[in-house]
Each structure stands twice: as structure tokens, then as C-alpha cells.
Amino acid sequence: MSHQLTDTVTAPAAEQTAAADPRVELEKRFKSGASWFYWVAGLSLVNSVVALFGGEWGFIFGLGITQMVDAAVAVLAEEAVETTNIVRVVGLAVNAGVVGVVALMGWLARRGHRWVFVVGLVLYAGDALLFVLVGDWLGLAFHGWVLFAVTSGYLACRQLAALDAERSPQLSPA
């Protein structure tokens, strides 16, 4: 019973602290935006593994470039039956490299490297163009959502950096 009372009393205090400090909401948006790199990487990898085993489904948040590699692997594996396994391993390695770069971008973004957000946004926008080329409008819409979320994270990261600069002014030489 006393545990419930403590939780009830501290919850409003935590909400007041969050409202008083703009950093709380900014950090939440920043980390959420940066985390989308992990989601895109993970779901793209799952999509590639599913495609490798002949599955017909995939997550919509995945990368178009890995889906293109998967499609190329499927075609090449059918044409070159004697080297099917090699083609599949090479395709999976290429996709793992792409996914690894996206995951690394997530790791760097969560550490506050703003340039990674910008590079990621440009690359993901380019990936979205692949969905335009094939007419996958739902995939394009979800790419738009991720671009919005990552942009929100980038803007929050910038605002946090500005707050940090205000709180710790540069020392001027004497």
C-alpha cells in the first residue's frame, strides 16, 4: 500500500520537473528520432532474411535498396543454379553491410552527432525515391513518416546543443 502511495505522490512531481525543464522533452524527441535508424536497420535485416528463405512478406519500414538486392539475388539464384548459395551469401553480405552502416548511424546519432542525422536523412530520402520508381505508395508514405521522425530528432538535437551552449558560455581569453 505504501508503494502505491509513493508512486502516486512522485508521478506529479516528475511531470512538473519535465514541464519545468525543456531538455526532458527535447531529449525524448532526440532519442526517438535517432532510434529510427535502429528500427530501419533491424527491420531491413529481417526482410532480407525472410527473402533469403523464400518468404513473401516483409516490414514496410525496410530499406528499398536491400529489397532491390533481395530481388536481384532471387533472379540470379534462379539463373545460376550451381552458384545459388554463393549468390545468396553475397546478397546477404551486401545487405548486412548496408544494415550495419544504418545501425552505426543510429549509434552515432544517439551520441549527438548531428551530421549523422543529415546524412541519414539524405540517404533515406534517396531510398524513398526507389519506392516512387516502383510505385509502392504505402512504402513511400512510411518512408515519409520516418523522415519526419528523424527530422524531429535532428531538430531536438540542435536545440539541445543550443541549450548546452547557453548554459556553459565559452571562456574568453583574459
Side-chain angles (χ1 to χ4, degrees), residues 6 9 27 34 37 43 62 71 78 81 86-87 103 106 110-112 114 127 130-132 139 152-153 158 167-168:
T6 305
V9 172
E27 284 182 14
F37 289 108
L43 295 175
E78 280 184 28
V81 176
I86 293 170
V87 169
R110 289 203 36 114
R111 275 142 191 81
R114 291 187 307 245
D127 191 76
L130 297 174
F131 288 87
V132 172
S152 178
R158 259 184 40 188
R167 288 184 179 176
S168 60

Side-chain angles (χ1 to χ4, degrees), residues 119-172:
V119 170
L121 286 165
V122 169
L123 292 175
Y124 201 66
D127 191 76
L129 292 177
L130 297 174
F131 288 87
V132 172
L133 292 175
V134 298
D136 183 350
W137 308 118
L138 191 56
L140 180 63
F142 278 101
H143 267 60
W145 170 253
V146 172
L147 288 168
F148 171 78
V150 172
T151 300
S152 178
Y154 167 72
L155 294 173
C157 185
R158 259 184 40 188
Q159 290 172 311
L160 284 167
L163 284 175
D164 288 345
E166 288 174 10
R167 288 184 179 176
S168 60
Q170 302 275 335
L171 295 175
S172 58

Side-chain angles (χ1 to χ4, degrees), residues 106-121:
W107 185 78
L108 291 169
R110 289 203 36 114
R111 275 142 191 81
H113 297 281
R114 291 187 307 245
W115 65 270
V116 175
F117 281 98
V118 174
V119 170
L121 286 165

Side-chain angles (χ1 to χ4, degrees), residues 91-103:
L92 189 59
V94 168
N95 283 344
V98 170
V99 164
V101 168
V102 175

Side-chain angles (χ1 to χ4, degrees), residues 27-86:
E27 284 182 14
K28 181 180 168 186
R29 279 188 19 230
F30 152 62
K31 289 185 178 189
S32 176
S35 293
W36 274 103
F37 289 108
Y38 292 132
W39 279 106
V40 168
L43 295 175
S44 296
L45 185 60
V46 169
N47 287 347
S48 291
V49 170
V50 167
L52 180 70
F53 289 103
E56 297 292 323
W57 61 273
F59 293 107
I60 202 145
F61 285 114
L63 291 166
I65 191 67
T66 57
Q67 292 177 28
M68 287 183 64
V69 169
D70 295 337
V73 165
V75 169
L76 291 172
E78 280 184 28
E79 291 179 8
V81 176
E82 61 277 352
T83 59
T84 295
N85 289 335
I86 293 170

